[in-house]
Every structure is written in C-alpha cells, then in structure tokens.
Amino acid sequence: MGALLGRLGEAAASLLGVCTLVFLLIHLVPGDPVAAMLGEGARAVDQAELRAALGLDRPLWTQYLDYLGGLARLDLGVSLHSGRAVTALLAERAGPTLELAVAALALAVVVALPLGVLAALYRGGAIDRVAMGFSMLGAAIPNFWLGPLLILVCSLWLGWTPVSGRDGPLSLLLPALTLGTGLAAVLARMVRSSLLEVLGEDYVRTARAKGAGPTRVLWRHALRNAWLPVLTLLGLQFGALLGGAVITETVFAWPGLGSLVVESIQARDYPLVQGAVLVIALAYLVVNTLTDLLYLALDPRIRSR
C-alpha cells in the first residue's frame, strides 16, 4: 500500500512538473496569439480588447494559478482559435491517435517477436544476420523519409492505399507501418538479447537435462523469464506512440493528437497546447503504472521485495 501511494505521489508530482514546464515554455515562445487571430493589420485597440477578453493581459502568475484551478476542476479551458472547449477537441483527436498507436504496436510485436526468437535460436547464422540487418535498417530509417516513400510507392505508383487522411482500414496501413517499423527493429533486438541471456541460465540447462523438448524449454522457461525487459520497452514505446507520432500524423494528415499539437503551436493556442501535452504526459504515466503492475504479475520475485 505504501509503495502504491508513493508511486501515485511521484506520478502527481511529475504531472505537475509537466504542466508547469509547458505553461512557461508556451508563453516564452515568440509570437502573439492575438496577432495570429486578428492578423498583422489589426488595430492596436482591437488587439488590446481581445487580449483583455482572453485574459492574456493579466500577470503570468495569475494566469498560471487560474490554469491550475481549472485543472483541479477538470476544466482545460477554451481554445483561443476555435472557441470550443479544449476537452472536446482532445476527445475528437485521442481516438485516432490511440487507433494508430495500437495498430503500430501490434504490427511491431507480430514482426519483432518471431524475428528476435529465431535470431536467438540460430545465433550467428544466416537468420540471425538477416534479422539483425533488418533491426539496424529499421532503426536507422527516419519516419519523415519512410512515410513519403511508402506514399510514393503504395499510393501513387501502385494505387493500393489512400494518400492521406483517415478514411477506412486501408488508410491506417501506411501510418502504422511507418510508425511500427522502427519499434519492430528495436524490439527484435531486445527480444534476441533478452532471450540469449535467459537461455544461458542454470534453470534452462536443468530443464534440458530433465528431458524437456526445445519447444517446451523455449515457451515454458525461456520466453516467460525473458519478457521483463521486453515489457519495459513495450510500455515505454507505447507511451511514446501515443504522444510522439507528430511526424507520422503530419505526413499522412492523420487527425490525431500529434497533428493537433502542431496546429495549436502554429496558432499560438495556449490552452490547446497545454491540454494536449497534459493528455500525452498522462498517457505516459498511465502506461508506466500499468507496466509496473504487469511486472508484479509476471515476476513473483518482485512482489516479495
């Protein structure tokens, strides 16, 4: 119980730190949201009236306290650009981002798990070299290059998928492939490394000595104990996928949180930027907490500490 309360306290402190940092940074970014809304040719009187109406003429610390008070009431404010509630805008964009993140993660697991296992079982062989070559290539290719390349080949040349947007299952294929390729490359290397370490343990050799077959040794003993570092990577990367798919969503015009952050920064929409980053940070915290709970379920040794 004490460990759980401590974990929740750390999460709350981290969330407060993120909110404070984002609030300060967004107000220090060059640019005036009033000028962006009214245009450069607006009169000074009109700008002053709009700034007062939005509360941007008040001291920074007053705006910060109001922001924290709104968070306590679960009120993220109103978008300066559209005039709609920030929570409504975030709710519209969270679904597509979650859909893309789950698809990319599933694709990465389906590709990386067999590659990593085969590379570990046939260490030093042709399969191992091919798998690790894919891992190195996938980790080296940036999303801003892979995405347009896939659009050029699969959409423009072959006509298999839509160029951009979110319109049907096929429109999800290329963004998920772009986002999941790098994760699959890193995950395959992690699975190989973790499995090789476990295969050298005494309990694996004991299981083999007792007559357990290769399949039983692999699935019952090796993979079960090799999951912990892989699970850590999956938890961290899923949190990154939820909030860090800015480039992929921008390339494919995917209507998610990443593209919303870019749009709100360009419009100097302070409440929307703060709300989007808050949701992203909260997603990281939730995923990390769930990862800790899965640790307890998979490894009884952790529960005894």
Side-chain angles (χ1 to χ4, degrees), residues 240-258:
L241 291 177
L242 285 174
V246 176
I247 296 176
T248 302
E249 290 186 359
T250 302
V251 168
F252 290 96
W254 189 262
L257 287 175

Side-chain angles (χ1 to χ4, degrees), residues 198-209 212 217-218 221-222 225:
V198 169
L199 288 174
E201 295 291 339
D202 292 337
Y203 59 84
V204 174
R205 289 193 292 266
T206 301
R208 289 172 177 166
V217 170
L218 176 65
H221 300 281
N225 292 280

